[in-house]
Amino acid sequence: YKPKLIIMDDPFNAIDISMSEEITNNILSTYKDSIIVLINNKREILKKMDYVLFLKNDGYIYGKYDELLGDKDFSNLVGGDNK
């Protein structure tokens, strides 16, 4: 069974980043035809997503991870580097 939509709300909050990345890679490869909505703020995970929607107090910004680094609030949240 391959769902069309998968929604996960901070599924990695109690898992180390290495395991979080492994799980993310497995989900992305197994469900590559599904729309995945992942609520998360870990840089390593956000970089793997096709697009990021970043909610702000005054609205939102949307784009690829590297594009959003130009926003001060987003950059501060993820640590401000582009490794």
Side-chain angles (χ1 to χ4, degrees), residues 18-29:
S18 168
M19 181 60 70
S20 297
E21 287 184 280
E22 185 176 332
I23 292 169
T24 300
N25 290 340
N26 287 334
I27 290 169
L28 292 175
S29 65

Side-chain angles (χ1 to χ4, degrees), residues 5 8 10 12-13 18 21 26 30-31 47-49 54 59-60 66-68 78:
L5 175 65
M8 297 179 287
D10 203 14
F12 310 121
N13 67 350
S18 168
E21 287 184 280
N26 287 334
T30 302
Y31 299 103
K47 286 180 177 183
K48 295 178 181 293
M49 301 298 112
F54 178 62
Y60 68 92
D66 291 340
E67 296 168 348
L68 299 186
V78 298

Side-chain angles (χ1 to χ4, degrees), residues 7-70:
I7 300 173
M8 297 179 287
D9 185 2
D10 203 14
F12 310 121
N13 67 350
I15 302 173
D16 68 51
I17 192 59
S18 168
M19 181 60 70
S20 297
E21 287 184 280
E22 185 176 332
I23 292 169
T24 300
N25 290 340
N26 287 334
I27 290 169
L28 292 175
S29 65
T30 302
Y31 299 103
K32 59 183 161 214
D33 295 328
S34 300
I35 296 170
I36 299 171
V37 177
L38 175 64
I39 300 164
N40 194 284
N41 65 355
K42 293 182 179 178
R43 167 187 37 224
E44 295 83 358
I45 303 304
L46 293 173
K47 286 180 177 183
K48 295 178 181 293
M49 301 298 112
D50 292 332
Y51 294 96
V52 175
L53 174 68
F54 178 62
L55 303 177
K56 301 172 63 154
N57 289 336
D58 58 347
Y60 68 92
I61 56 174
Y62 171 81
K64 297 195 178 280
Y65 175 87
D66 291 340
E67 296 168 348
L68 299 186
L69 286 174

